[in-house]
Amino acid sequence: MKKTVLITGGAGFIGSHVVRHFVNKYPSYRVVNADKLTYAGNLQNLADIENAGNYVFEKADIVDEKVVDALFEKYSFDGVIHLAAESHVDRSIASPNEFVFTNVIGTVNLLNAARKAWKDNMDDKMFYHISTDEVYGSLGSKGLFTEDTPYDPRSPYSASKAGSDHFVRAYHNTYGLPVVVSNCSNNYGPNQFPEKLLPLFINNILTGKELPVYGKGENIRDWLYVEDHAKAIDLLFHSGRHGETYNIGGHNEWKNIDLIYLLCELMDEKLGREKGESAKLITYVKDRAGHDKRYAIDASKIQDYPGWTPEHNFREGLSKTIDWYLENTEWMQNVLSGDYEKYYEQQYLER
Ligand code: NAD
Ligand code: DAU
């Protein structure tokens, strides 16, 4: 094997697309997916590549220092792509501590292990940390986040991600660890856990449940197809400059309510329902606490690299995404079992 790459959080939404991309594109790499398999991690996401010769799964909790050290002792990693995290803003508002443990302590454990393992030779090594645009805070109606926008995290989730980003950069500055950080906007696509807007609403439309729009639905997000993010991660893992940050986005801003009407229109067409039928489910509910108004990304730095631009047109990407959920109702049933019902009740029915 030419390289051994650790991908953390590879059983989650984005991680599973990154693992598949690397396993298929780089047969000469050994890809080690380390994941705790929380409610958001699902090995079914990787069923198509689980028997590939260059793929290994390790059930591991990155909060446990000994577990992380043992992983680095077992494998000689040449690179790390770190995606494991608690990722849902609403859950971070309800219970912040888990976000500090996994997102901050877990990241520091990985940094320490990488530093120890690579101390004699950091050449050709890479610690790539995947972060979010939410660390930059909230925009007004104008402007874009650039790599120089000061950090201003406003939810426990974004504060924990900001904390982890600072540690990653500090390890570069202090110990010379070869790091790259990227901050991406909202991803959409297959395999996303149905606590997030799009899969939640797709499932609710299918099952005739209300569509809980926070506040007036006027918040704005920039949406990027998950495979476009995976391709950007591939590019930066191989060519990102050590110590640098890259913003990744789709130049694709949508006001939530406009996006929800588009989703309803597409769902009506696909389900053969009368036009306007799904939109009747829209229900305005109490706003998310501290709800960031607008995120928008200036992605010109990464777009200056030859070879990356978002390939998916939004309407087509959304249509393909809906088709995936409609064709994979068994996947949805499986992830909806367990604690999901309890979460749904607390988040939406007891508010
Ligand atoms: P996700 O919640 O779908 O998946 C997270 C994965 O991490 C799961 O497989 C889970 O089991 C694993 N995990 C959680 N705690 C762990 C622990 N203690 N040890 C080991 N594994 C653990 O998340 P996602 O949406 O795929 O996001 C992946 C990464 O990308 C996160 O770092 C997130 O902050 C970042 N990000 C997400 C988006 C987005 O729109 N989803 C956008 C930008 C950045
Ligand atoms: O910007 C990148 C971030 O995008 C990632 O770092 C996060 O991990 C990811 O979860 C996502 O965060 P958001 O909070 O933007 O995503 P979410 O899908 O939770 O919500 C999208 C928008 O829709 C947001 O403005 C809140 C709103 N919303 C969400 C839910 C779940 C609703 O109106 N109703 C809902 O039920």
Side-chain angles (χ1 to χ4, degrees):
M1 290 285 170
K2 225 161 98 189
K3 266 184 201 287
T4 300
V5 182
L6 169 64
I7 301 183
T8 70
F13 166 46
I14 303 173
S16 59
H17 289 272
V18 175
V19 167
R20 176 177 302 101
H21 179 92
F22 272 74
V23 166
N24 289 335
K25 187 168 169 194
Y26 301 108
S28 67
Y29 289 11
R30 178 164 53 164
V31 175
V32 180
N33 168 18
D35 196 298
K36 180 181 173 183
L37 299 181
T38 67
Y39 77 92
N42 181 357
L43 288 178
Q44 212 186 327
N45 294 345
L46 293 166
D48 55 325
I49 55 112
E50 68 187 358
N51 295 320
N54 62 339
Y55 171 69
V56 184
F57 174 70
E58 291 276 358
K59 188 167 183 325
D61 180 354
I62 59 166
V63 178
D64 188 331
E65 193 181 347
K66 288 201 181 74
V67 167
V68 173
D69 286 346
L71 261 182
F72 275 77
E73 272 156 32
K74 181 166 173 188
Y75 301 96
S76 257
F77 294 123
D78 300 288
V80 176
I81 304 176
H82 175 35
L83 294 116
E86 286 293 332
S87 68
H88 190 38
V89 174
D90 292 326
R91 287 186 194 252
S92 83
I93 294 168
S95 10
N97 291 21
E98 204 55 45
F99 287 72
V100 180
F101 296 139
T102 290
N103 299 0
V104 184
I105 311 278
T107 300
V108 174
N109 285 340
L110 288 162
L111 288 166
N112 286 336
R115 194 184 146 220
K116 225 184 303 170
W118 300 341
K119 68 179 182 319
D120 295 328
N121 183 8
M122 293 202 186
D123 298 346
D124 302 325
K125 301 289 192 284
M126 169 64 91
F127 190 105
Y128 180 6
H129 176 63
I130 308 301
S131 192
T132 169
D133 59 359
E134 301 200 10
V135 297
Y136 296 121
S138 181
L139 290 165
S141 56
K142 290 213 172 71
L144 301 172
F145 295 134
T146 72
E147 287 80 2
D148 297 323
T149 301
Y151 272 31
D152 180 23
R154 294 155 42 93
S155 73
Y157 163 67
S158 53
S160 67
K161 290 297 289 186
S164 64
D165 296 7
H166 289 319
F167 271 103
V168 173
R169 290 195 191 98
Y171 272 58
H172 174 70
N173 184 58
T174 310
Y175 308 115
L177 199 73
V179 310
V180 162
V181 177
S182 61
N183 297 77
C184 188
S185 60
N186 286 59
N187 286 214
Y188 70 98
N191 307 98
Q192 188 170 31
F193 193 82
E195 62 190 353
K196 309 278 168 62
L197 182 75
L198 282 170
L200 173 76
F201 279 34
I202 291 170
N203 190 48
N204 282 13
I205 291 171
L206 251 182
T207 52
K209 274 196 200 151
E210 290 180 344
L211 305 178
V213 180
Y214 294 163
K216 294 186 178 147
E218 285 177 350
N219 303 65
I220 294 170
R221 298 290 182 265
D222 169 61
W223 295 90
L224 179 71
Y225 193 70
V226 63
E227 284 173 7
D228 284 327
H229 190 189
K231 285 182 188 153
I233 290 173
D234 176 358
L235 177 71
L236 293 177
F237 178 71
H238 291 100
S239 330
R241 284 187 295 269
H242 292 168
E244 297 219 1
T245 293
Y246 298 83
N247 283 352
I248 306 172
H251 290 301
N252 179 37
E253 286 182 54
W254 282 82
K255 198 185 267 189
N256 288 344
I257 194 66
D258 296 341
L259 171 57
I260 291 161
Y261 272 108
L262 172 61
L263 176 70
C264 288
E265 183 194 315
L266 291 172
M267 290 289 287
D268 283 342
E269 277 170 28
K270 288 177 191 290
L271 296 172
R273 290 182 184 168
E274 210 172 294
K275 202 164 180 245
E277 195 61 25
S278 299
K280 287 186 193 151
L281 297 167
I282 291 175
T283 312
Y284 293 90
V285 301
K286 191 172 156 211
D287 208 352
R288 172 184 279 174
H291 198 171
D292 288 339
K293 179 83 179 131
R294 173 171 167 257
Y295 305 141
I297 286 272
D298 176 348
S300 46
K301 184 173 174 184
I302 185 176
Q303 286 190 319
D304 280 349
Y305 274 77
W308 189 82
T309 191
E311 284 168 24
H312 288 79
N313 154 297
F314 188 56
R315 213 184 153 97
E316 283 162 21
L318 186 57
S319 173
K320 192 163 135 182
T321 300
I322 297 170
D323 289 343
W324 187 87
Y325 288 99
L326 296 183
E327 283 156 18
N328 288 276
T329 46
E330 200 184 314
W331 178 93
M332 187 63 90
Q333 285 319 311
N334 290 346
V335 299
L336 293 184
S337 59
D339 279 346
Y340 181 80
E341 294 211 351
K342 206 162 93 203
Y343 165 79
Y344 197 88
E345 261 172 44
Q346 280 166 356
Q347 180 63 26
Y348 295 106
L349 307 178
E350 293 170 9
R351 299 161 63 98

